[in-house]
Amino acid sequence: PTRAASRRPFGRLQILPWVIAVSALAWSLSMRLEMASYNHELVARQVAIVEGRDSTPLGHQHDCEPCPRCVQGSMASELKATDATPDPRAVTFVLVATMNANNGPRVAALLASVQKYVEKGRSAVHTLLAVVPDAELRWWELAASALGDQPAFNIGVLAESAALRSGVEALKRAAPKTGRREARGLGYRIQMLLKLGVAEHVPTDFYVTFDCDVVLARPLHLGDLVRKDENGALKGVTQGSMGGPHAHRWLSSSLDSFFGTTPGSAQQKGGVDGAHDCRVSNLMHTVGVTPAVMSKHGAFATLKRLERRAEEEGKRGWDEYLFSALEDGLDWTEYGLYAAGTCLDGSFNRHHVVDPKVRLYDAALQEDGSKFMDPKVMNEAFGPNPFVVVQSIGGSDATSAADALYSHLGNPAVEATR
């Protein structure tokens, strides 16, 4: 279409639905759909069968019958059969999302960046897995069903309840004071837990955590996120530092969570100066925040330790235990838990490499959302690092973020009528 000055001008908010629709339509020309949604028990059984295990890592029981909502030939088994990218360096993109007025346009930007930058020949991405609220499952199924064929990677949709032991409502009941105290509510904490619990459903050895604020910033190739060392062992590349004014508290509380529910538990129980030297000063130089490359097996080790702690505290699962710890003042985060858990397990260096020459994202832009308005900062962010984060909590709104990202991700063949 051509621009027509005589047409009634459209406001930005009015054209946003069309931007989203055009993005989805463009992507549908090249995306392969291997979509499945299924309940927790069936998924656990299918993953166990594919991986040759009799039970899931945390010992769930598999005595349910397939339900009508489950797609025949589930994602777990189907991915194993088709194996879009057999290279073990390929990762799963895990998008933890909920649909609202802020996230919808941001998802469109994420999809546009995937379309532009994921290599089509030997894809560095095996699967894009969206983890969404149970109530939104049908909406996301419809969104996935609108996508067509592409050989680059597979797509899956997973209900939140499949990745949690105790259920969302039970978790909220376990932390009533925290729910009233935290400005962003308990949904923010639940999203943290999902980034660990999803490991049970990830078909690759490594996965990358996404929020709707993340976009790809350059072409992504095999070896960028997961490397083979001199002995052929796979290692995920990490940010190498956790910045921001709250990082020390997050890591300290996360470490304490493995020893008790109150601040200082790790120090009191001798957990800081153990065989692996898991002092907070050391944990600061491991993982960063979203987006993070995480090892599925590192997440298993972390959750196994937390599950043992939950049993000692009389809680039904690791997630309920962590929510009860919030009530006692532990300000844990998913990445703090992962850093501490893999350190205590002695597996962090087995699963990861910290390369001082590599950063996954621009930390300054990630921590200060106002910087996205500076074209010079955005130009510098697109190129050297794999990802760019334009955080809503850092000060960006969806409309202005779209304006800032368009010059880097927009399709010149699509021209809006104004």
Side-chain angles (χ1 to χ4, degrees):
T2 59
R3 299 183 186 273
S6 61
R7 291 180 181 263
R8 182 171 59 88
F10 280 56
R12 287 174 178 168
L13 288 178
Q14 291 176 287
I15 70 168
L16 273 176
W18 293 101
V19 173
I20 298 170
V22 169
S23 299
L25 179 61
W27 210 37
S28 70
L29 300 177
S30 59
M31 294 297 294
R32 179 182 183 185
L33 178 62
E34 294 289 349
M35 186 279 297
S37 62
Y38 32 72
N39 70 2
H40 179 59
E41 301 298 342
L42 185 59
V43 174
R45 182 192 301 173
Q46 290 161 336
V47 173
I49 291 172
V50 169
E51 297 189 353
R53 298 179 282 110
D54 293 330
S55 62
T56 62
L58 300 179
H60 297 295
Q61 298 301 312
H62 307 146
D63 53 0
C64 68
E65 294 299 323
C67 64
R69 300 177 66 187
C70 304
V71 175
Q72 185 68 26
S74 73
M75 185 184 69
S77 57
E78 195 70 20
L79 290 181
K80 193 73 173 182
T82 58
D83 212 11
T85 305
D87 195 300
R89 294 171 295 171
V91 300
T92 296
F93 280 173
V94 172
L95 172 63
V96 178
T98 183
M99 187 52 63
N100 56 42
N102 179 60
N103 287 344
R106 294 176 185 273
V107 170
L110 169 59
L111 298 185
S113 72
V114 169
Q115 164 69 11
K116 182 170 184 176
Y117 289 128
V118 172
E119 190 178 48
K120 300 300 190 295
R122 299 178 65 215
S123 177
V125 184
H126 185 287
T127 302
L128 172 62
L129 179 60
V131 186
V132 302
D134 291 45
E136 297 181 11
L137 191 61
R138 289 304 190 199
W139 194 100
W140 287 90
E141 285 177 346
L142 289 172
S145 297
L147 304 177
D149 289 332
Q150 123 133 337
F153 54 83
N154 304 286
I155 304 170
V157 181
L158 184 71
E160 286 181 348
S161 59
L164 297 173
R165 291 292 306 279
S166 306
V168 171
E169 294 307 315
L171 294 179
K172 290 180 179 179
R173 289 193 297 271
K177 291 187 299 183
T178 306
R180 293 189 295 268
R181 183 179 67 245
E182 297 202 346
R184 283 178 282 178
L186 291 176
Y188 179 62
R189 296 285 181 175
I190 289 169
Q191 288 190 335
M192 293 183 184
L193 297 188
L194 291 171
K195 292 169 187 173
L196 291 170
V198 73
E200 183 179 334
H201 308 284
V202 169
T204 54
D205 285 335
F206 293 87
Y207 62 102
V208 183
T209 55
F210 276 16
D211 292 326
C212 295
D213 300 330
V214 179
V215 297
L216 272 68
R218 62 169 175 78
L220 197 61
H221 307 295
L222 285 166
D224 285 350
L225 303 177
V226 178
R227 303 174 178 175
K228 288 184 178 180
D229 67 11
E230 61 275 10
N231 298 316
L234 294 173
K235 295 194 174 186
V237 178
T238 72
Q239 177 74 359
S241 65
M242 185 180 293
H246 308 299
H248 191 280
R249 184 180 76 250
W250 291 338
L251 289 165
S252 180
S253 288
S254 299
L255 180 61
D256 284 335
S257 298
F258 291 89
F259 299 92
T261 61
T262 55
S265 293
Q267 186 70 51
Q268 294 164 13
K269 298 186 179 181
V272 177
D273 300 316
H276 304 296
D277 195 4
C278 298
R279 288 173 294 178
V280 170
S281 59
N282 290 334
L283 298 180
M284 291 280 287
H285 302 290
T286 53
V287 297
V289 293
T290 305
V293 179
M294 300 175 71
S295 161
K296 173 171 67 176
H297 301 289
F300 287 167
T302 298
L303 296 184
K304 184 176 180 180
R305 282 180 169 266
L306 289 170
E307 190 73 8
R308 288 201 302 266
R309 188 67 211 165
E311 292 175 0
E312 294 171 2
E313 295 287 335
K315 304 300 181 183
R316 77 173 97 182
W318 60 271
D319 48 0
E320 184 184 276
Y321 163 69
L322 287 171
F323 261 56
S324 69
L326 290 173
E327 296 288 274
D328 292 328
L330 289 187
D331 190 14
W332 49 260
T333 67
E334 71 275 56
Y335 304 116
L337 293 167
Y338 181 83
T342 53
C343 179
L344 292 168
D345 182 63
S347 62
F348 180 82
N349 290 327
R350 186 163 69 248
H351 297 311
H352 291 285
V353 59
V354 177
D355 185 341
K357 300 188 297 295
V358 175
R359 289 292 179 264
L360 298 178
Y361 54 85
D362 183 330
L365 178 60
Q366 187 272 339
E367 292 166 17
D368 182 358
S370 66
K371 290 181 178 293
F372 80 97
M373 295 295 292
D374 186 336
K376 182 176 184 293
V377 171
M378 292 297 287
N379 287 336
E380 291 174 351
F382 274 84
N385 307 314
F387 307 107
V388 164
V389 185
V390 183
Q391 283 216 86
S392 54
I393 62 172
S396 69
D397 64 89
T399 304
S400 54
D403 286 342
L405 292 169
Y406 184 80
S407 63
H408 302 279
L409 302 176
N411 184 347
V414 178
E415 184 180 5
T417 300
R418 297 183 184 274

